[in-house]
Amino acid sequence: MKCLTAVLAAMLLLARAEASHALVRITDDRGGQIGRYVDRYEKLRASGHAIVVDGLCASACTIVLGTIPYNKICVTPNAEFAFHAAWDFGRRGRAIPNPEATRELFSMYPSQVQRWIASRGGLSARTIFLRGRQLAAMYPACYGGTQAATTRRIEGSVLRNSGRRERPGLFARVHQRR
């Protein structure tokens, strides 16, 4: 009986340790309302999930960079962030710039991203893209074994949640280089 109890306790500890290595994959997220993304990413941060960016992360999706800890984000060669100023819907669905929300959005980003945005003229109606070598210089690359097993849709964006667990140290190895 003691052996069975010990085995069950070990299984619970392993399951808890593996949960902290779960992955969420962002592949094609065109953004939306800032408040919804802040809420979504705060929940993900609290869950301890790692984020794999493997495609477009545009507009409000980019808040992931300021909400999720740096050591919990990695990017693939397909990763691409698209930034622009915040806006509201006006009459007849017209986009109206929202300077206050734009300042708040900008303040959410880490300093390296803020510098990159500022070097391109700041957040404006024009969309600017962070990808390739510039992105790779700022964020760690994802290593093999980060494939997501299942997909779930959240408010029109695709987030893939890994059905398998990542090897411990996925991000730790990257940070040893820095």
Side-chain angles (χ1 to χ4, degrees):
M1 190 65 171
K2 288 182 183 181
C3 185
L4 179 60
T5 303
V7 169
L8 287 174
M11 288 174 55
L12 285 172
L13 286 172
L14 284 174
R16 187 175 294 165
E18 286 183 353
S20 68
H21 296 293
L23 297 174
V24 175
R25 182 177 297 265
I26 298 174
T27 59
D28 185 25
D29 191 325
R30 302 197 178 276
Q33 293 180 335
I34 291 172
R36 289 183 181 173
Y37 278 81
V38 169
D39 293 343
R40 178 184 305 168
Y41 292 140
E42 285 178 353
K43 288 176 186 170
L44 282 172
R45 181 183 62 213
S47 75
H49 285 62
I51 306 296
V52 174
V53 182
D54 187 27
L56 180 66
C57 178
S59 192
C61 175
T62 62
I63 294 169
V64 70
L65 299 174
T67 309
I68 303 298
Y70 176 83
N71 67 344
K72 292 287 189 174
I73 297 174
C74 72
V75 297
T76 72
N78 299 322
E80 177 177 42
F81 290 91
F83 302 88
H84 63 79
W87 51 272
D88 294 316
F89 284 112
R91 291 192 175 138
R92 297 183 187 165
R94 278 194 137 155
I96 299 172
N98 185 330
E100 183 179 329
T102 299
R103 282 189 296 277
E104 184 175 328
L105 180 62
F106 183 79
S107 74
M108 291 179 190
Y109 298 129
S111 60
Q112 64 190 18
V113 174
Q114 287 179 352
R115 285 189 301 274
W116 181 86
I117 291 170
S119 74
R120 277 143 188 83
L123 295 174
S124 67
R126 182 179 60 90
T127 302
I128 55 176
F129 295 90
L130 175 58
R131 58 184 163 224
R133 287 183 187 165
Q134 292 175 325
L135 179 58
M138 289 186 208
Y139 284 90
C142 301
Y143 288 102
T146 59
Q147 269 57 31
T150 59
T151 301
R152 57 190 172 109
R153 291 199 173 270
I154 300 177
E155 298 175 29
S157 64
V158 177
L159 294 180
R160 291 186 179 168
N161 190 5
S162 178
R164 45 186 255 217
R165 305 300 178 207
E166 186 55 47
R167 298 184 310 259
L170 169 73
F171 297 100
R173 286 187 304 233
V174 173
H175 295 292
Q176 290 172 355
R177 294 186 307 172
R178 295 194 180 257

